[in-house]
Structures are given as structure tokens and as C-alpha cells.
Amino acid sequence: MIKLVASDLDGTLLLNGAQSVEDSMFETIGRLLDRGILFAPASGRQMTSLKRLFAPVAEELVYISENGALVSYKGKTIAKTPMKRKLALEIIEDVLAQDYCEVLVSGEKTAYIKPKTKEYHDRMTKVVNYHTTLVSDFSEIQEDILKVAVCDLSGIEHSKEHFFKRWGNEAAAVVSGSLYLDFMDLKVSKGNAMKQIQQSMNILPEECMAFGDNYNDIPMLDSVGHAYVMEKAVDDIKKHSQFITANVEYTLKDVFHL
């Protein structure tokens, strides 16, 4: 029996660049909840953004946000794993020094930005609909830093090698989309977040289902008994699945006869 379904968003639940969830998916999630099956968005996005995205069912979901650095359920924090502040600020300075690269710094309820371009400001505030706070210097941030995200507007493929080589041994670094690379504490991953949920809620791995499409989803896929990977994903990721799918909602309706 499945007790928890977790799904990545961009490229998995949200297809073809979509920035909103279909109304029919809210109905599907509602039917899962009626059967006592929990649903968890699992994303590099911030908690506030996820709650906006899933507004019709927001109060009933488990949240794996910031790639697993912040995990919560019904207002209760299950796990919070901040970065070392000195390291985070050093990474931020490196990102700002790179051409075409912008930085997003995640706190618990807001994301801090210092945009170089209007394009980036509009992307974060209007396209992905983040709750943002403008800063003149990132050292002004008073709360824990959960994640430092690189946005390379020319494509993260152009800069990821630099960031992995420079910081990959000091922070968890994952590509989370065509433009983004995320840095977290070394202990953070969607898989570790899933294990924290399983332990907190007394749920077994074989009672969990997960959907993903990118490298940052692999630890989550490996932490559940029923792993689904999107058909467009590369073969390295498909190796971590038992099933291949083209659509999360259709799969849920088929598996659970919704």
C-alpha cells in the first residue's frame, strides 16, 4: 500500500515550461488525500512559492522545498538544514563574478536577490512567482541561508563545470533545470528529505512513490520502493527507476484507479 507520493515539479509535474498546476491535478491530489495518501511536491523552489503553486490543497501537503533543505507538514518543520554562512557568502561572491550569472539566496520564507538585469528580476518575481527581498549586500541577511542558487541566463551548461570544480567538495551541488544550479549543505538532498519524512511519519520506503526527471531527483528515486522517471530523461537517471512515464497525473489516475 502506498502512503506517500512525492513529485519533482519542473520537467516532471510541470511539463513544457509550465509555471502553474492544472486544475485536474488538484482534483487528483484531493482524491489521493481522501484515500489517506499523502502528496509531497519535491522541488528546489522555496516553500512560499510551492504553497502559492498548490493553493487549492496547500494546507494538506507535505513539502520538500529547497531541494530538501526545508521539509514541513501542516505548518510543522520536519527538518531544516542551513548552509555554513561563511561558505554561502563565498559562493555568492563567486556567482556574482561570473558573466550571465545571477544569484538567489534562500531563507525560510523569502529569497534574497540583487539582480544584475531586469530579465532576472522579472523571472523571479513574475514568472516563477517567488517571494523575494531585494538586498544591496547579501551579508545583510539575518537568517539562516538554506540554499544558494545560480541562474545562468545563457544556460547552466555554460558555467556548471566552473561551479562544480570550485565548490563541489564543500557543498552539495545539483543542476535543477536548464538555467539553474543549486548549492546546499552537504547533508541536503531530496533523498535525505524523503528519509526524514519516512522516519518522522513512520512510513516505509516501499510505501512511497516518487517521480523525477533530473539528477537532483536521483537520491529521492533511490529512497522509495516505487520510482518513476519521465520518458524524456537521460539514461543515467532512468537507471534509478522501476517505471518510465510521460505524465504524472495520468500515471496516478491509472495506478490508483482515480
Side-chain angles (χ1 to χ4, degrees), residues 70-109:
L70 184 62
V71 185
S72 74
Y73 178 56
K74 291 192 173 182
K76 177 183 178 181
T77 298
I78 293 174
K80 177 182 174 182
T81 311
M83 297 180 70
K84 295 176 181 177
R85 184 177 180 84
K86 181 175 181 294
L87 174 62
L89 292 174
E90 289 174 351
I91 294 174
I92 290 166
E93 289 303 311
D94 184 35
V95 176
L96 292 173
Q98 307 306 314
D99 291 340
Y100 305 108
C101 290
E102 300 269 9
V103 68
L104 179 86
V105 181
S106 296
E108 189 164 346
K109 294 182 179 179

Short mmCIF file of all heavy atoms in Angstrom, two decimals, residues 70-109:
data_model
loop_
_atom_site.label_atom_id
_atom_site.label_comp_id
_atom_site.label_asym_id
_atom_site.label_seq_id
_atom_site.Cartn_x
_atom_site.Cartn_y
_atom_site.Cartn_z
N LEU A 70 14.59 22.26 3.51
CA LEU A 70 13.47 22.59 4.39
C LEU A 70 12.31 21.65 4.09
O LEU A 70 11.84 21.57 2.96
CB LEU A 70 13.04 24.04 4.18
CG LEU A 70 11.94 24.58 5.10
CD1 LEU A 70 12.39 24.56 6.56
CD2 LEU A 70 11.55 26.00 4.69
N VAL A 71 11.86 20.92 5.11
CA VAL A 71 10.78 19.93 4.96
C VAL A 71 9.72 20.23 6.00
O VAL A 71 10.04 20.41 7.18
CB VAL A 71 11.32 18.49 5.17
CG1 VAL A 71 10.23 17.47 4.88
CG2 VAL A 71 12.54 18.24 4.28
N SER A 72 8.46 20.29 5.58
CA SER A 72 7.41 20.62 6.55
C SER A 72 6.10 19.93 6.21
O SER A 72 5.88 19.48 5.08
CB SER A 72 7.19 22.13 6.61
OG SER A 72 6.49 22.59 5.46
N TYR A 73 5.22 19.89 7.22
CA TYR A 73 3.88 19.32 7.05
C TYR A 73 2.92 20.02 7.99
O TYR A 73 3.15 20.06 9.20
CB TYR A 73 3.89 17.81 7.33
CG TYR A 73 2.55 17.13 7.24
CD1 TYR A 73 1.79 17.20 6.07
CD2 TYR A 73 2.03 16.42 8.31
CE1 TYR A 73 0.56 16.57 5.97
CE2 TYR A 73 0.81 15.76 8.22
CZ TYR A 73 0.07 15.86 7.05
OH TYR A 73 -1.16 15.23 6.95
N LYS A 74 1.89 20.61 7.43
CA LYS A 74 0.86 21.31 8.19
C LYS A 74 1.44 22.32 9.18
O LYS A 74 1.08 22.37 10.36
CB LYS A 74 -0.05 20.30 8.90
CG LYS A 74 -0.91 19.51 7.92
CD LYS A 74 -2.01 18.74 8.62
CE LYS A 74 -2.96 18.10 7.60
NZ LYS A 74 -4.06 17.37 8.22
N GLY A 75 2.37 23.12 8.68
CA GLY A 75 2.94 24.19 9.49
C GLY A 75 4.06 23.76 10.42
O GLY A 75 4.68 24.61 11.07
N LYS A 76 4.33 22.47 10.50
CA LYS A 76 5.38 21.97 11.39
C LYS A 76 6.62 21.65 10.57
O LYS A 76 6.55 20.94 9.56
CB LYS A 76 4.90 20.72 12.14
CG LYS A 76 5.97 20.12 13.03
CD LYS A 76 5.48 18.83 13.69
CE LYS A 76 6.57 18.20 14.54
NZ LYS A 76 6.11 16.93 15.17
N THR A 77 7.77 22.16 11.01
CA THR A 77 9.03 21.87 10.33
C THR A 77 9.51 20.48 10.73
O THR A 77 9.74 20.20 11.90
CB THR A 77 10.10 22.91 10.69
OG1 THR A 77 9.66 24.20 10.25
CG2 THR A 77 11.42 22.59 10.02
N ILE A 78 9.65 19.61 9.74
CA ILE A 78 10.17 18.27 9.96
C ILE A 78 11.69 18.29 9.99
O ILE A 78 12.33 17.63 10.81
CB ILE A 78 9.67 17.31 8.87
CG1 ILE A 78 8.15 17.11 8.99
CG2 ILE A 78 10.39 15.95 8.95
CD1 ILE A 78 7.54 16.29 7.87
N ALA A 79 12.28 19.09 9.10
CA ALA A 79 13.74 19.19 9.05
C ALA A 79 14.15 20.51 8.41
O ALA A 79 13.50 20.99 7.47
CB ALA A 79 14.33 18.03 8.26
N LYS A 80 15.22 21.09 8.92
CA LYS A 80 15.78 22.33 8.37
C LYS A 80 17.30 22.22 8.46
O LYS A 80 17.85 22.03 9.54
CB LYS A 80 15.28 23.54 9.17
CG LYS A 80 15.86 24.88 8.73
CD LYS A 80 15.33 25.99 9.62
CE LYS A 80 15.98 27.32 9.31
NZ LYS A 80 15.51 28.41 10.21
N THR A 81 17.97 22.34 7.30
CA THR A 81 19.41 22.15 7.26
C THR A 81 20.07 23.33 6.56
O THR A 81 20.17 23.38 5.33
CB THR A 81 19.77 20.85 6.51
OG1 THR A 81 18.98 19.77 7.02
CG2 THR A 81 21.24 20.52 6.68
N PRO A 82 20.53 24.33 7.31
CA PRO A 82 21.15 25.51 6.70
C PRO A 82 22.58 25.26 6.25
O PRO A 82 23.24 24.30 6.67
CB PRO A 82 21.11 26.54 7.83
CG PRO A 82 21.16 25.72 9.08
CD PRO A 82 20.42 24.45 8.78
N MET A 83 23.06 26.14 5.37
CA MET A 83 24.46 26.10 4.95
C MET A 83 25.33 26.80 5.99
O MET A 83 24.83 27.59 6.80
CB MET A 83 24.62 26.84 3.62
CG MET A 83 23.87 26.23 2.45
SD MET A 83 24.13 27.16 0.90
CE MET A 83 25.86 26.77 0.55
N LYS A 84 26.61 26.53 5.95
CA LYS A 84 27.56 27.30 6.74
C LYS A 84 27.61 28.70 6.13
O LYS A 84 27.82 28.87 4.93
CB LYS A 84 28.94 26.65 6.71
CG LYS A 84 28.97 25.28 7.38
CD LYS A 84 30.34 24.63 7.26
CE LYS A 84 30.34 23.26 7.91
NZ LYS A 84 31.65 22.57 7.74
N ARG A 85 27.40 29.70 6.97
CA ARG A 85 27.24 31.06 6.46
C ARG A 85 28.46 31.57 5.68
O ARG A 85 28.33 32.16 4.60
CB ARG A 85 26.93 32.00 7.63
CG ARG A 85 26.64 33.43 7.19
CD ARG A 85 26.26 34.30 8.38
NE ARG A 85 25.98 35.66 7.95
CZ ARG A 85 24.79 36.06 7.48
NH1 ARG A 85 23.80 35.20 7.40
NH2 ARG A 85 24.62 37.31 7.11
N LYS A 86 29.64 31.34 6.20
CA LYS A 86 30.86 31.82 5.53
C LYS A 86 30.98 31.21 4.14
O LYS A 86 31.29 31.91 3.17
CB LYS A 86 32.09 31.48 6.37
CG LYS A 86 33.41 31.96 5.78
CD LYS A 86 34.55 31.69 6.74
CE LYS A 86 35.89 32.19 6.18
NZ LYS A 86 36.30 31.43 4.99
N LEU A 87 30.72 29.91 4.03
CA LEU A 87 30.79 29.24 2.75
C LEU A 87 29.75 29.79 1.79
O LEU A 87 30.04 30.06 0.61
CB LEU A 87 30.58 27.73 2.93
CG LEU A 87 30.48 26.90 1.65
CD1 LEU A 87 31.77 26.99 0.85
CD2 LEU A 87 30.15 25.45 1.99
N ALA A 88 28.53 29.99 2.27
CA ALA A 88 27.45 30.51 1.43
C ALA A 88 27.83 31.87 0.85
O ALA A 88 27.64 32.13 -0.35
CB ALA A 88 26.16 30.61 2.22
N LEU A 89 28.39 32.76 1.68
CA LEU A 89 28.75 34.09 1.22
C LEU A 89 29.90 34.04 0.22
O LEU A 89 29.95 34.84 -0.74
CB LEU A 89 29.11 34.98 2.41
CG LEU A 89 27.94 35.33 3.35
CD1 LEU A 89 28.45 36.09 4.56
CD2 LEU A 89 26.87 36.14 2.62
N GLU A 90 30.81 33.10 0.38
CA GLU A 90 31.91 32.95 -0.58
C GLU A 90 31.39 32.47 -1.93
O GLU A 90 31.83 32.95 -2.99
CB GLU A 90 32.96 31.97 -0.03
CG GLU A 90 33.75 32.52 1.13
CD GLU A 90 34.67 31.48 1.76
OE1 GLU A 90 34.56 30.29 1.39
OE2 GLU A 90 35.50 31.85 2.60
N ILE A 91 30.44 31.54 -1.92
CA ILE A 91 29.85 31.06 -3.17
C ILE A 91 29.09 32.18 -3.86
O ILE A 91 29.17 32.36 -5.09
CB ILE A 91 28.92 29.85 -2.90
CG1 ILE A 91 29.73 28.65 -2.41
CG2 ILE A 91 28.13 29.48 -4.16
CD1 ILE A 91 28.87 27.48 -1.97
N ILE A 92 28.35 32.96 -3.08
CA ILE A 92 27.60 34.10 -3.64
C ILE A 92 28.53 35.05 -4.40
O ILE A 92 28.24 35.47 -5.52
CB ILE A 92 26.86 34.85 -2.53
CG1 ILE A 92 25.71 33.99 -1.99
CG2 ILE A 92 26.33 36.19 -3.03
CD1 ILE A 92 25.14 34.50 -0.68
N GLU A 93 29.67 35.38 -3.80
CA GLU A 93 30.62 36.29 -4.44
C GLU A 93 31.14 35.71 -5.75
O GLU A 93 31.32 36.42 -6.75
CB GLU A 93 31.77 36.61 -3.50
CG GLU A 93 31.39 37.50 -2.33
CD GLU A 93 30.78 38.82 -2.79
OE1 GLU A 93 31.37 39.48 -3.68
OE2 GLU A 93 29.71 39.20 -2.27
N ASP A 94 31.38 34.41 -5.77
CA ASP A 94 31.86 33.75 -6.98
C ASP A 94 30.79 33.80 -8.08
O ASP A 94 31.10 34.08 -9.24
CB ASP A 94 32.23 32.30 -6.67
CG ASP A 94 32.82 31.59 -7.88
OD1 ASP A 94 33.54 32.24 -8.67
OD2 ASP A 94 32.57 30.39 -8.04
N VAL A 95 29.55 33.55 -7.71
CA VAL A 95 28.46 33.59 -8.70
C VAL A 95 28.35 34.98 -9.31
O VAL A 95 28.24 35.15 -10.54
CB VAL A 95 27.11 33.19 -8.06
CG1 VAL A 95 25.97 33.33 -9.08
CG2 VAL A 95 27.17 31.76 -7.54
N LEU A 96 28.37 35.99 -8.48
CA LEU A 96 28.23 37.36 -8.96
C LEU A 96 29.36 37.77 -9.89
O LEU A 96 29.19 38.64 -10.76
CB LEU A 96 28.16 38.33 -7.77
CG LEU A 96 26.90 38.23 -6.91
CD1 LEU A 96 27.04 39.12 -5.68
CD2 LEU A 96 25.66 38.61 -7.70
N ALA A 97 30.52 37.12 -9.75
CA ALA A 97 31.67 37.46 -10.57
C ALA A 97 31.62 36.84 -11.96
O ALA A 97 32.41 37.22 -12.84
CB ALA A 97 32.96 37.02 -9.87
N GLN A 98 30.68 35.89 -12.18
CA GLN A 98 30.61 35.19 -13.45
C GLN A 98 29.64 35.89 -14.41
O GLN A 98 28.55 36.28 -14.02
CB GLN A 98 30.16 33.73 -13.24
CG GLN A 98 30.98 32.97 -12.22
CD GLN A 98 32.46 32.99 -12.51
OE1 GLN A 98 32.89 32.77 -13.64
NE2 GLN A 98 33.26 33.26 -11.47
N ASP A 99 30.08 36.02 -15.68
CA ASP A 99 29.22 36.63 -16.70
C ASP A 99 27.93 35.84 -16.85
O ASP A 99 27.93 34.60 -16.78
CB ASP A 99 29.94 36.66 -18.05
CG ASP A 99 31.11 37.62 -18.05
OD1 ASP A 99 31.13 38.52 -17.19
OD2 ASP A 99 32.00 37.47 -18.92
N TYR A 100 26.82 36.54 -17.03
CA TYR A 100 25.49 35.97 -17.28
C TYR A 100 24.88 35.28 -16.06
O TYR A 100 23.77 34.76 -16.14
CB TYR A 100 25.50 34.98 -18.47
CG TYR A 100 26.05 35.57 -19.73
CD1 TYR A 100 27.30 35.17 -20.20
CD2 TYR A 100 25.33 36.51 -20.45
CE1 TYR A 100 27.83 35.72 -21.36
CE2 TYR A 100 25.84 37.05 -21.62
CZ TYR A 100 27.10 36.65 -22.06
OH TYR A 100 27.60 37.20 -23.21
N CYS A 101 25.60 35.24 -14.95
CA CYS A 101 25.10 34.50 -13.78
C CYS A 101 24.49 35.44 -12.74
O CYS A 101 25.09 36.45 -12.35
CB CYS A 101 26.22 33.68 -13.13
SG CYS A 101 26.74 32.27 -14.13
N GLU A 102 23.32 35.07 -12.29
CA GLU A 102 22.61 35.76 -11.21
C GLU A 102 22.54 34.82 -10.01
O GLU A 102 22.73 33.60 -10.15
CB GLU A 102 21.20 36.14 -11.64
CG GLU A 102 21.13 37.05 -12.85
CD GLU A 102 21.12 38.53 -12.48
OE1 GLU A 102 21.33 38.84 -11.30
OE2 GLU A 102 20.86 39.35 -13.38
N VAL A 103 22.25 35.36 -8.84
CA VAL A 103 22.22 34.55 -7.64
C VAL A 103 20.89 34.73 -6.90
O VAL A 103 20.31 35.82 -6.89
CB VAL A 103 23.41 34.86 -6.71
CG1 VAL A 103 23.30 36.25 -6.12
CG2 VAL A 103 23.55 33.83 -5.60
N LEU A 104 20.43 33.64 -6.32
CA LEU A 104 19.22 33.63 -5.48
C LEU A 104 19.60 32.97 -4.17
O LEU A 104 20.13 31.85 -4.16
CB LEU A 104 18.11 32.83 -6.16
CG LEU A 104 16.79 32.71 -5.40
CD1 LEU A 104 15.91 33.92 -5.69
CD2 LEU A 104 16.05 31.44 -5.80
N VAL A 105 19.34 33.63 -3.05
CA VAL A 105 19.72 33.11 -1.74
C VAL A 105 18.46 32.85 -0.93
O VAL A 105 17.67 33.76 -0.68
CB VAL A 105 20.63 34.11 -1.00
CG1 VAL A 105 21.04 33.55 0.36
CG2 VAL A 105 21.87 34.41 -1.84
N SER A 106 18.28 31.61 -0.52
CA SER A 106 17.03 31.21 0.12
C SER A 106 17.10 31.26 1.64
O SER A 106 17.97 30.64 2.26
CB SER A 106 16.66 29.77 -0.29
OG SER A 106 16.40 29.72 -1.67
N GLY A 107 16.15 32.01 2.22
CA GLY A 107 15.86 31.90 3.64
C GLY A 107 14.65 31.01 3.81
O GLY A 107 14.22 30.34 2.87
N GLU A 108 14.06 31.01 5.00
CA GLU A 108 12.94 30.10 5.24
C GLU A 108 11.65 30.58 4.56
O GLU A 108 10.89 29.76 4.05
CB GLU A 108 12.71 29.93 6.75
CG GLU A 108 11.71 28.84 7.08
CD GLU A 108 11.77 28.41 8.53
OE1 GLU A 108 12.76 28.76 9.23
OE2 GLU A 108 10.84 27.71 8.97
N LYS A 109 11.42 31.90 4.53
CA LYS A 109 10.15 32.39 3.98
C LYS A 109 10.32 33.38 2.82
O LYS A 109 9.35 33.79 2.22
CB LYS A 109 9.33 33.05 5.09
CG LYS A 109 8.88 32.07 6.15
CD LYS A 109 8.03 32.74 7.21
CE LYS A 109 7.57 31.72 8.27
NZ LYS A 109 6.76 32.35 9.33
#
